[in-house]
Amino acid sequence: ASPGEPSVTPPAPGLGYVATGPRAHPPAWVEPSRISGTASVGSVERIGEAIPVAGDPDWPALGNACHAFLAADRPGLPDDERLEIARGALERWGTQGAVRPEALAAAANSLRAWSDARFPGAASHHEWPLSRRMSDGAELAGAADVVLMNGESFVLVDHKCLAGSLAEAVRAAAGYGGQIAAYTKTIQAATGKKSRGQYVHLVLQGAIVALD
């Protein structure tokens, strides 16, 4: 201290507060596909032919290829253009030869026929981006495969390319309940519309599963 100034004793470390230790914080953002939860299975409908899978493909890559085609496919596209889109998606994900492009086009046709018959007049939105701030502060961000909007209600359809029989795929679909619920809550919050149903499209089994 300078002459004439009172001396000041610095506080001893550790006095005056209680250390609480490390704190757990929620992630900055969350992928809906990583949200766990099991749903109850409702109706199971066959809407088309099962797709044969050749060999032992990279299943995540095959799922990405199927999603890519189903997202890009649109009514009114010429058949040869649709097949080229399917072929290109399979090649980009290194899964050419696992399934036939014609089979993917047929699966898309079956899904469209089902949605048109079950929810006539609904507007179909593919790969609809979703975002919602959750109660813990984390940001949920993702994209819904298909959202069918009709008046004051909506329907969610999520594509899954799962191995195994229809019964095995149905059991596996129930395990995506957390993801489906997250999508549904986010769409409800964003639009104010009511859900008329949540479905899993089992692409390879040619079936639609309702989740409650």
Side-chain angles (χ1 to χ4, degrees), residues 23-117:
R23 295 173 56 191
H25 295 276
W29 65 282
V30 176
E31 293 180 74
S33 60
R34 297 184 180 275
I35 298 177
S36 61
T38 302
S40 299
V41 174
S43 62
V44 179
E45 303 174 63
R46 280 278 195 185
I47 64 170
E49 297 293 327
I51 298 178
V53 178
D56 184 20
D58 181 331
W59 285 96
L62 180 58
N64 286 330
C66 291
H67 275 80
F69 169 72
L70 292 168
D73 188 42
R74 291 294 184 275
L77 287 177
D79 289 344
D80 57 347
E81 186 173 342
R82 297 179 68 215
L83 293 178
E84 189 58 35
I85 293 172
R87 190 175 296 109
L90 292 166
E91 289 176 354
R92 281 191 295 276
W93 287 99
T95 55
Q96 63 271 30
V99 300
R100 296 173 60 244
E102 292 83 357
L104 284 185
N109 293 343
S110 298
L111 178 63
R112 188 173 298 118
W114 172 83
S115 61
D116 288 346

